[in-house]
Amino acid sequence: MIRLTLLFTLFAVSLFAAGDATFEATKRDLNIPAIIMFFIFVGATLGITYWAAKRTKSASDFYTAGGGISGFQNGMAIAGDYMSAASFLGISGLIYLQGYDGLVYAVGFLVGWPVILFLMAEKLRNLGKFTFIDIAAYRLGQKEIRTLAAFGSLSVVTLYLIAQMVGSGKLIQVLFGLEYEYAVILVGIMMIIYVTFGGMLATTWVQIIKAILLLSGVTFMAFMVLNHFGFSFEALAAKAVDTHTKGQALMEPGGLVSDPISAISLGIALMLGTAGLPHVLMRFFTVGNAKEARKSVVYATGFIGYFYLVIAVIGLGAIVFLNSPAGAEFFENGQLFGGNNMAAIHLSKLVGGDVFLGFISAVAFATILAVVSGLTLAGASSISHDIYACVINPKASEEQEIKVSKISVIVIGVIGVILGIAFEQQNIAFMVGLAFAIAASANFPILFLSIYWSKLTTRGAFIGGFIGLMTAVILVILGPTVWVSILHNEEAIFPYKYPALFSVTAAFIGIWFFSITDKSGRAEEEIKAFEAQSIRAETGIGAAGAVDH
Amino acid sequence: MEECMNDELVQRIRSNPKYQELVKKRTGFGWKLGIFVLAMYYIYILVIAFNPTALATKLSDEGVMTIAFPIGAGIIIVSFITTIIYVVKANGEFEDLTNQVKEDVKDAL
């Protein structure tokens, strides 16, 4: 009942927003092709959600699409989770603004993949059931580890969610002339519908469709940009250097990662963070076996790698095209309309006209919806599976667990909307950087050591993981982003933007120290249980299969 | 939710030579490739951190293109190639070994 009331309230607000939109939009040119494409996409995905809702009955269906997704489909979906609005809009915006530094982010986001594959993907598939926390809690104290890891997971989900919400707000603002706040609320409502009704199956298919549309869209944009320069990347770069105020510095690393500590810290966060992202790790449980899990990583790495290479062309293209006379219409008082994150969207109009702008806008919006859905599902699983069903009420039935999931989805959706509005002015790629720092410091060390280190104990994992989480959160708050940009203090207490170097180290040392000094009987049992765990991780014997629920 | 593994089964799998071969080969291979990718990435990051001007070297005197671009793109491409190398081996040789181990202990499951 509470849920229904909440939904109706949100709908009422969105109707009000729609009414307001027609007034606002007239002065910003209503973009008919964009709106038509947007409605086609929404219609199609709601159809999928309806289809998925009929097939989503058990908890396994809700969390993992029943384990029936193929390696190729899962690879597409992982790539979809990765090619988020923060990647697409944020990295193209970063390259537009800073040049090469944007590519440094892209490289860091990508190289996490091979490492996950070589050292973890298979073991995750063999040991886990619904969430990656299943693995950390496999032979350790369920209550402590699940509670802690769920908090780590939720912090990451929330930060990442903010980045997506900000992207969506800006985007719809530009596209429909809708107020930022209403745009964010609209995304929240759509996402809640997909996830509560369609679960992981709907979320996965929305993600796959969007990945295909996005890859086609950016390919066309890059083609048009390069076509203008006779397919010479050198000629494009030369023109970009000519146009941009940074000049030749555009082609060099520097601006964003100006000091060694920041560069190393960002590198650690991007790489290890990938291995600790709850919504991406969760995808390994949607495939039938370890073989499919491995294949999915190859497809994902291929798609993501291609995407980032193409984004570099788009970023440089945006510099050239938007600063040409034809691009003047996108500036308001010398500022890019909608902010620098909109560079790729404006470029789409210049290279493909109104219809293509409509396509790219609809795709970008789809991107946000899909990623936000995946994130929310991961967050809700942590609450319902790791906290509710394993800690608070171990006797919970599947129905109860699914019910808690759905309520959590709504709560996370509402929180995402509120924070999305509060953090309007932040660069979204940067917000993702923060999410990665927490994923790298709180989730990754526990996960990694639980797979590889036989002497890990509950006490070590709990205290060490807690130290990692708190260090990351506190350093982010005391750092330049929150302390100066948001709280408007003069100077940051912690001078670096990226805390990962310190927080990851703190987590590993903490876990090591509190494990080896743990001489309790329970610790002895846990160390002994490592052998059985490791056999299952290696061979999959006893692993949760696709249909054994 | 899970089939529990008893001590006897654990001992049996552990002492199976094929299991030992599987773990040894796969772990070794995974770490070798992993360290290769990690080394490649952290060398790149350390160069950016301590000597960014090294990446500012131009490819040709007339052009604007720096060595930073092909290196960045190269890391992305090499990462992709290493994932293919791993999966070909893991889904062939290692998967066969895994299935043999499972076959050997089938009666105990």
Side-chain angles (χ1 to χ4, degrees):
Chain A
M1 196 57 220
I2 296 170
R3 208 172 83 201
L4 273 178
T5 322
L6 196 61
L7 261 179
F8 278 119
T9 318
L10 287 173
F11 269 121
V13 174
S14 76
L15 286 176
F16 169 63
D20 198 53
T22 44
F23 168 73
E24 276 283 310
T26 43
K27 65 178 189 205
R28 280 177 198 165
D29 291 343
L30 201 64
N31 187 343
I32 301 295
I35 292 166
I36 292 171
M37 276 182 227
F38 164 71
F39 278 112
I40 292 175
F41 178 83
V42 168
T45 48
L46 284 177
I48 289 169
T49 307
Y50 177 72
W51 165 79
K54 287 198 293 188
R55 277 158 188 77
T56 301
K57 291 185 183 72
S58 66
S60 159
D61 294 332
F62 188 78
Y63 294 131
T64 68
I69 303 290
S70 79
F72 180 77
Q73 290 165 343
N74 194 44
M76 268 280 175
I78 290 174
D81 270 321
Y82 234 68
M83 299 182 296
S84 61
S87 289
F88 174 46
L89 303 178
I91 291 186
S92 57
L94 266 182
I95 296 174
Y96 169 76
L97 198 66
Q98 304 268 0
Y100 189 77
D101 281 333
L103 195 65
V104 176
Y105 265 88
V107 170
F109 283 134
L110 188 93
V111 288
W113 274 112
V115 179
I116 293 184
L117 171 67
F118 306 150
L119 306 176
M120 295 168 85
E122 170 159 8
K123 296 177 171 71
L124 288 171
R125 178 65 196 83
N126 286 338
L127 286 174
K129 195 181 177 204
F130 292 154
T131 70
F132 79 93
I133 300 169
D134 289 334
I135 294 137
Y138 192 79
R139 70 189 154 97
L140 303 180
Q142 297 286 324
K143 283 191 181 175
E144 298 93 323
I145 299 303
R146 283 197 192 268
T147 311
L148 174 73
F151 275 108
S153 195
L154 285 169
S155 315
V156 174
V157 164
T158 312
L159 270 168
Y160 217 103
L161 201 57
I162 295 171
Q164 302 299 326
M165 287 296 192
V166 173
S168 69
K170 298 279 180 198
L171 186 73
I172 299 173
Q173 202 178 23
V174 173
L175 178 62
F176 296 93
L178 192 65
E179 288 299 325
Y180 176 85
E181 288 79 6
Y182 300 143
V184 171
I185 291 168
L186 189 69
V187 171
I189 292 169
M190 289 298 302
M191 173 280 287
I192 288 171
I193 293 173
Y194 291 150
V195 183
T196 46
F197 293 110
M200 189 53 140
L201 190 58
T203 305
T204 302
W205 277 103
V206 169
Q207 201 61 274
I208 292 171
I209 293 172
K210 160 239 145 162
I212 296 169
L213 293 176
L214 182 58
L215 285 168
S216 325
V218 293
T219 303
F220 177 75
M221 267 164 92
F223 177 85
M224 294 305 280
V225 167
L226 285 173
N227 189 31
H228 194 81
F229 292 95
F231 293 96
S232 161
F233 188 63
E234 169 74 44
L236 166 66
K239 185 72 184 158
V241 165
D242 230 27
T243 312
H244 202 283
T245 49
K246 278 185 82 175
Q248 180 62 26
L250 200 64
M251 301 282 108
E252 302 159 7
L256 275 181
V257 276
S258 43
D259 63 294
I261 302 279
S262 293
I264 296 167
S265 201
L266 176 68
I268 289 175
L270 292 179
M271 186 174 209
L272 301 185
T274 305
L277 286 183
H279 65 300
V280 176
L281 292 172
M282 197 176 175
R283 293 222 165 271
F284 288 110
F285 311 123
T286 66
V287 292
N289 53 51
K291 206 171 167 177
E292 293 297 313
R294 289 186 209 111
K295 276 195 217 162
S296 63
V297 178
V298 174
Y299 291 120
T301 315
F303 291 129
I304 301 165
Y306 169 76
F307 176 76
Y308 283 146
L309 293 178
V310 170
I311 282 286
V313 174
I314 292 175
L316 292 179
I319 294 173
V320 175
F321 283 73
L322 295 183
N323 290 311
S324 71
E329 60 165 310
F330 301 113
F331 288 88
E332 229 173 30
N333 309 325
Q335 293 280 317
L336 199 57
F337 185 45
N340 291 315
N341 290 327
M342 287 299 120
I345 301 288
H346 296 321
L347 178 66
S348 72
K349 185 173 176 185
L350 285 175
V351 300
D354 270 338
V355 175
F356 187 64
L357 167 69
F359 176 79
I360 282 293
S361 305
V363 168
F365 184 56
T367 295
I368 290 160
L369 277 179
V371 174
V372 162
S373 304
L375 280 168
T376 307
L377 187 61
S381 315
S382 278
I383 296 172
S384 62
H385 179 65
D386 297 311
I387 297 182
Y388 177 73
C390 292
V391 177
I392 296 174
N393 181 8
K395 290 193 191 81
S397 67
E398 281 210 354
E399 287 76 26
Q400 280 174 308
E401 192 177 329
I402 295 174
K403 196 176 157 197
V404 172
S405 290
K406 292 185 174 178
I407 296 170
S408 313
V409 168
I410 295 168
V411 173
I412 294 171
V414 173
I415 292 174
V417 167
I418 295 169
L419 293 178
I421 293 169
F423 284 71
E424 186 184 344
Q425 300 306 331
Q426 289 294 307
N427 175 304
I428 55 184
F430 181 67
M431 294 297 294
V432 172
L434 297 184
F436 270 66
I438 295 178
S441 332
N443 300 346
F444 177 78
I446 297 182
L447 189 61
F448 185 79
L449 291 177
S450 73
I451 292 177
Y452 280 101
W453 193 41
S454 64
K455 294 191 177 59
L456 178 74
T457 70
T458 302
R459 190 180 86 167
F462 185 78
I463 300 177
F466 187 72
I467 291 172
L469 177 65
M470 290 316 287
T471 311
V473 171
I474 291 171
L475 293 185
V476 166
I477 293 173
L478 298 183
T481 323
V482 176
W483 201 252
V484 180
S485 308
I486 296 168
L487 298 176
H488 304 294
N489 289 298
E490 286 274 306
E491 209 171 317
I493 295 171
F494 176 73
Y496 305 108
K497 278 194 211 164
Y498 313 103
L501 177 60
F502 305 94
S503 53
V504 172
T505 311
F508 271 106
I509 292 175
I511 295 173
W512 168 78
F513 180 78
F514 290 101
S515 289
I516 55 152
T517 52
D518 188 356
K519 301 290 177 207
S520 64
R522 179 174 160 187
E524 229 168 85
E525 288 289 310
E526 287 164 357
I527 293 166
K528 208 172 140 257
F530 180 77
E531 198 152 31
Q533 178 198 311
S534 118
I535 285 173
R536 174 161 152 181
E538 295 284 355
T539 62
I541 291 170
V547 284
D548 68 4
H549 299 290
Chain B
M1 76 187 206
E2 283 115 15
E3 299 163 49
C4 287
M5 253 187 267
N6 57 38
D7 285 350
E8 189 207 349
L9 182 61
V10 167
Q11 291 313 319
R12 229 176 106 183
I13 297 174
R14 195 179 60 160
S15 55
N16 185 325
K18 282 177 198 146
Y19 174 75
Q20 290 164 2
E21 187 192 343
L22 171 74
V23 173
K24 199 172 159 231
K25 275 192 178 166
R26 187 169 58 200
T27 309
F29 191 60
W31 278 103
K32 256 183 240 161
L33 286 180
I35 287 166
F36 167 72
V37 172
L38 281 169
M40 174 175 75
Y41 177 61
Y42 280 105
I43 288 170
Y44 173 69
I45 287 297
L46 289 174
V47 171
I48 290 176
F50 291 102
N51 192 9
T53 46
L55 289 172
T57 314
K58 284 188 185 179
L59 287 176
S60 68
D61 288 340
E62 324 72 78
V64 297
M65 191 51 66
T66 56
I67 196 166
F69 274 89
I71 289 177
I75 293 175
I76 290 179
I77 292 164
V78 171
S79 300
F80 178 53
I81 294 171
T82 52
T83 60
I84 297 176
I85 294 171
Y86 179 81
V87 170
V88 166
K89 193 149 171 154
N91 278 2
E93 188 187 337
F94 299 153
E95 191 70 15
D96 291 344
L97 270 173
T98 309
N99 288 333
Q100 285 171 27
V101 174
K102 282 183 183 165
E103 190 64 26
D104 288 349
V105 298
K106 207 169 65 180
D107 55 305
L109 285 174

